[in-house]
Amino acid sequence: RREEASIIALKIKNMPQLGGSNGEGGALNSIDKALLGAKNLKAKVYVDGDYRIIIFSPILTKEADNNITAIKSAQEISNVLSNHNAKYSQKIDFGIGVNSGEMIIESENGKFKFTSLGNSIGSAKKVASESNTDVLMSEETHRKVVGRVKSTKMPVGSSWKVRSVIDREKYSGFINRTNKGQGNVLDGAK
């Protein structure tokens, strides 16, 4: 099945130094904890060397557009890893990139296989490599979420730094009341 997916690439830039750092305050435990949030949102996580590739696909999440979910998940991953770095002496050097692109998804016996069309995963990895603890998104993803995510163009490359996701739910009651009020005014003008 061909689908539009949202991809997060988490690059652990100092993975060899983190080797056996499990246990209380262990860096690997913090990385696993960070990825657990994405798994709870029905994303699939794959290990690819120093990268953790997180895929949000409609077949898994039952949502047509996973871009905002992926960006929020990437922010949560960044928060968990940054909190680790603030508490423990062993730091995790990381970068996070978000990209959108088409993938071929195969489902067999409840197991999923993903094949990137074009450079979907490669672009996410490239953006993650450019990042230093920030959540960056590709130009492709930026075009899809413009107006829903506040971001800043990076001075080098074509990526965008995510500043915040605009939470329209918080204002939905006010917007609905305002729209109803305007509708009544317009109705009276007829």
Side-chain angles (χ1 to χ4, degrees):
R1 209 167 127 172
R2 189 177 187 148
E3 289 189 340
E4 182 75 20
S6 298
I7 302 125
I8 300 171
L10 167 64
K11 181 173 185 178
I12 309 299
K13 298 178 179 183
N14 61 336
M15 186 56 96
Q17 292 80 27
L18 302 179
S21 59
N22 278 326
E24 185 63 33
L28 296 179
N29 282 345
S30 292
I31 293 167
D32 288 343
K33 179 181 174 189
L35 296 174
L36 186 60
K39 289 178 185 176
N40 289 339
L41 293 171
K42 300 180 181 148
K44 289 292 181 188
V45 179
Y46 296 95
V47 175
D48 183 7
D50 293 344
Y51 291 93
R52 302 301 178 265
I53 306 299
I54 304 141
I55 299 172
F56 289 88
S57 167
I59 197 168
L60 300 170
T61 64
K62 309 299 186 229
E63 299 288 330
D65 182 359
N66 288 291
N67 290 309
I68 297 298
T69 303
I71 290 169
K72 286 180 177 180
S73 182
Q75 288 177 310
E76 184 58 31
I77 291 166
S78 178
N79 289 340
V80 169
L81 298 180
S82 294
N83 286 339
H84 168 90
N85 287 345
K87 287 182 183 177
Y88 301 104
S89 61
Q90 186 176 39
K91 307 299 183 202
I92 302 170
D93 186 11
F94 67 95
I96 301 174
V98 182
N99 187 40
S100 306
E102 285 194 332
M103 301 191 84
I104 301 288
I105 294 110
E106 296 177 50
S107 175
E108 190 174 304
N109 300 326
K111 294 189 179 190
F112 294 91
K113 292 182 183 178
F114 297 87
T115 304
S116 177
L117 292 178
N119 202 15
S120 300
I121 292 176
S123 292
K125 286 180 172 182
K126 180 178 182 257
V127 173
S129 293
E130 295 171 3
S131 168
N132 286 317
T133 72
D134 293 317
V135 176
L136 301 183
M137 61 182 162
S138 66
E139 180 70 37
E140 168 108 13
T141 302
H142 176 261
R143 282 193 304 267
K144 292 179 180 185
V145 299
V146 73
R148 298 184 289 164
V149 175
K150 290 183 182 179
S151 57
T152 306
K153 179 84 167 102
M154 295 300 287
V156 177
S158 60
S159 56
W160 293 76
K161 178 180 176 181
V162 174
R163 292 192 345 237
S164 65
V165 175
I166 298 169
D167 185 8
R168 299 201 189 283
E169 293 294 316
K170 190 163 68 171
Y171 305 106
S172 64
F174 171 77
I175 292 168
N176 289 338
R177 286 191 305 276
T178 303
N179 286 343
K180 283 182 182 177
Q182 287 178 348
N184 293 338
V185 170
L186 293 176
D187 290 340
K190 288 183 184 175

